[in-house]
Amino acid sequence: MPPLPTPPTRRAFLGLGAAAVTASALVACSPPDLSPVALPDVGEGYDGPPLTLKFWNGLTGGDGAIMRELLLQFRDEHPNITIEMFAMPWPSFYQKFPSAVVSGLAPDIGLMHNFHVATNAARGVIVPLDEAADRIGLSEANFSETVWRSGIVNGRRYSIPLDVWPDSLFYNRRVLENAGLDPDDPPRDRASYEETLEILAEQGIAGHWLPAIDPQGVGRGFDSLQWQFGGELYDEEGTRALFNGPEGREALEWQLERILSDQSKRNVSGGDANVAFKNDLNAFLWGGPGALINDLGSVEDLDWGVVPLPLIGEQPASFSGSHQFVIMRQRAFDPDRMRAAFTFLSWISENSIAWAGAGPIPARRDVVESPEFAELPAQSSIAEALPDVRFYPLIPGIFDVQSTILYPALSDVLLLNADPQEALDGAAEQANHLLEENRQKYAEAMS
């Protein structure tokens, strides 16, 4: 077997980062290259000379270790292809790789969150993969409809889904049992959830710690709730915010009531809630399996389970994200490198059962339906929610609208510093301005 790939030295990585930072000036002053891209006409299956593909992502935790194990397994089966993985914090990844594309130092393959795909497609730094998906035999039949379509922007596919991670209800069995509740029957609807929280509150236990000072955590819960109440975040064209409608107000007021009724501690973060759960101080966490399954599973003697989010509204829905593979724009596409990249994408999609060990649910339908997946109790339970997952709309710049405008406004309300309707109305007005700015900025790509 060829020698295993070694991670880059610190000097080499810093040099790479310096080059990307230098190139950022080019990104700032240069318009995106939106010219048509023609990938080499190659299929899956590489039998050429040894080569190394660069693969960038933000997998810096336990998920990164699992991905590296998969890369070694891939090399065992494909000794002439080495995948050299560079992992960096996600904010750094999203900042550095467009600069690397402009400077001609782009990696071959990237992994990004699906809610960043539309933005980077509009920037012209990733390329359409319709033909690539066809060549490696991937179609909607292999995936659930929602996750497959989450990589399509303006009618073109820009990404290949690896997984899906719906926010779910993690419950502490010991806390429920000590409160006289059934530890194996977590609440699944509004009435039973509120009743459970009230029983806990009467015993001095704040069962659901809302991360009011953690806008991202509380915002995803709001998204799930307003979808459950029948609302939408934005109109279909992505030109107007709708989250300040009656459904959004009902969702936010439901969250606020948990705090006002002492069913949640005040002024806490997602980290606070996580630590409390591990120490049997609260009963429930709302969060994604990608981080929580392995995190909670590593705590000795913690007795927990997980199910889809309770149905608080009228229709099941849960916020979800998805890691998706992309091909970076190159100054020139080498047929050998493309054939090797397609070989890797096909292989890792087929072998994504091992990726489920990192916590997320594999995107492949046949993997989720396999006997091996059924042996993963937490992931199997969460997979019940796959028909009801919801993603952000495929609008360039949408993550900035959510994270810099909507989520801080929600946090203000839950910190008891703002009125729910006034905060939502103010956020909607600001969001409409940013949506229009983004529409103009990405007009060529969106037309």
Side-chain angles (χ1 to χ4, degrees):
M1 184 182 76
L4 300 180
T6 57
T9 64
R10 182 174 185 272
R11 177 176 296 178
F13 191 79
L14 290 175
L16 181 67
V21 170
T22 300
S24 64
L26 295 174
V27 174
C29 64
S30 301
D33 179 6
L34 299 174
S35 58
V37 172
L39 299 181
D41 187 13
V42 299
E44 178 195 359
Y46 179 70
D47 57 4
L51 55 73
T52 298
L53 300 179
K54 289 183 170 57
F55 171 34
W56 285 18
N57 56 60
L59 305 175
T60 57
D63 49 6
I66 291 175
M67 179 60 72
R68 291 186 188 278
E69 291 176 4
L70 277 165
L71 298 184
L72 293 177
Q73 181 183 343
F74 172 77
R75 187 169 181 185
D76 284 344
E77 299 178 24
H78 302 82
N80 54 348
I81 305 174
T82 298
I83 308 293
E84 189 174 54
M85 177 170 138
F86 292 82
M88 63 196 83
W90 285 112
S92 297
F93 167 78
Y94 289 116
Q95 179 185 28
K96 290 179 184 296
F97 91 81
S99 303
V101 170
V102 172
S103 65
L105 299 172
D108 301 277
I109 304 168
L111 187 71
M112 68 175 57
H113 302 98
N114 63 322
F115 41 80
H116 286 290
V117 170
T119 303
N120 287 293
R123 288 173 175 167
V125 293
I126 58 177
V127 299
L129 295 177
D130 305 88
E131 295 83 0
D134 290 341
R135 292 171 198 167
I136 61 180
L138 294 179
S139 69
E140 186 173 319
N142 302 111
F143 302 86
S144 67
E145 178 181 350
T146 304
V147 70
W148 178 247
R149 295 187 177 182
S150 70
I152 297 176
V153 182
N154 287 344
R156 300 216 63 183
R157 168 157 304 284
Y158 280 87
S159 58
I160 304 293
L162 172 64
D163 60 26
V164 58
W165 22 279
D167 274 7
S168 305
L169 177 70
F170 291 80
Y171 58 97
N172 187 310
R173 288 192 177 93
R174 186 176 296 115
V175 172
L176 294 176
E177 185 172 27
N178 289 344
L181 298 164
D182 187 343
D184 296 311
D185 185 24
R188 302 296 297 271
D189 57 32
R190 180 171 184 166
S192 60
Y193 195 69
E194 291 179 355
E195 180 182 5
T196 298
L197 290 177
E198 184 59 31
I199 291 172
L200 292 167
E202 289 173 355
Q203 300 180 43
I205 302 168
H208 177 174
W209 287 27
L210 270 164
I213 62 174
D214 180 2
Q216 180 74 11
V218 78
R220 286 165 42 167
F222 169 86
D223 294 337
S224 296
L225 288 165
Q226 65 89 35
W227 283 321
Q228 288 194 8
F229 287 126
E232 293 292 342
L233 292 169
Y234 306 93
D235 62 9
E236 291 185 3
E237 295 75 25
T239 60
R240 185 166 64 91
L242 303 178
F243 50 69
N244 61 326
E247 301 87 358
R249 178 180 180 126
E250 187 173 7
L252 183 53
E253 289 182 339
W254 186 89
Q255 290 181 305
L256 181 60
E257 180 59 27
R258 310 285 69 78
I259 293 175
L260 297 178
S261 60
D262 295 325
Q263 296 172 4
S264 170
K265 293 283 188 181
R266 302 189 181 193
N267 306 333
V268 298
S269 69
D272 296 330
N274 184 286
V275 171
F277 189 91
K278 294 175 182 177
N279 286 279
D280 299 332
L281 297 177
N282 60 8
F284 303 115
L285 288 176
W286 289 29
L292 284 174
I293 285 180
N294 281 323
D295 181 30
L296 300 180
S298 67
V299 180
E300 186 177 355
D301 198 37
L302 181 63
D303 190 8
W304 61 277
V306 59
V307 291
L309 290 182
L311 182 60
I312 304 300
E314 293 77 35
Q315 57 193 44
S318 56
F319 165 89
S320 184
S322 169
H323 291 110
Q324 307 215 354
F325 287 104
V326 296
I327 298 292
M328 307 298 188
R329 179 184 286 267
Q330 308 291 330
R331 291 183 175 175
F333 288 94
D334 176 79
D336 278 352
R337 301 183 73 80
M338 291 308 303
R339 187 178 293 109
F342 293 172
T343 299
F344 170 67
L345 293 180
S346 177
W347 180 91
I348 199 165
S349 180
E350 292 176 358
N351 291 273
S352 56
I353 183 62
W355 178 244
I361 313 305
R364 285 279 293 248
R365 190 190 303 273
D366 57 346
V367 175
V368 171
E369 294 172 352
S370 69
E372 294 86 353
F373 185 77
E375 294 176 0
L376 303 172
Q379 290 88 335
S380 296
S381 177
I382 293 170
E384 296 174 17
L386 289 181
D388 305 311
V389 299
R390 297 289 301 269
F391 298 116
Y392 295 151
L394 300 173
I395 304 169
I398 193 62
F399 182 74
D400 289 339
V401 180
Q402 290 285 111
S403 62
T404 67
I405 294 177
L406 173 58
Y407 290 174
L410 303 176
S411 185
D412 281 346
V413 172
L414 299 181
L415 290 171
L416 311 183
N417 293 326
D419 172 79
Q421 190 64 61
E422 291 179 1
L424 291 172
D425 287 342
E429 183 178 359
Q430 294 179 54
N432 290 339
H433 287 301
L434 184 51
L435 289 168
E436 175 60 21
E437 289 180 8
N438 288 340
R439 189 191 68 79
Q440 295 181 22
K441 183 194 307 184
Y442 300 116
E444 184 175 353
M446 298 169 68
S447 61

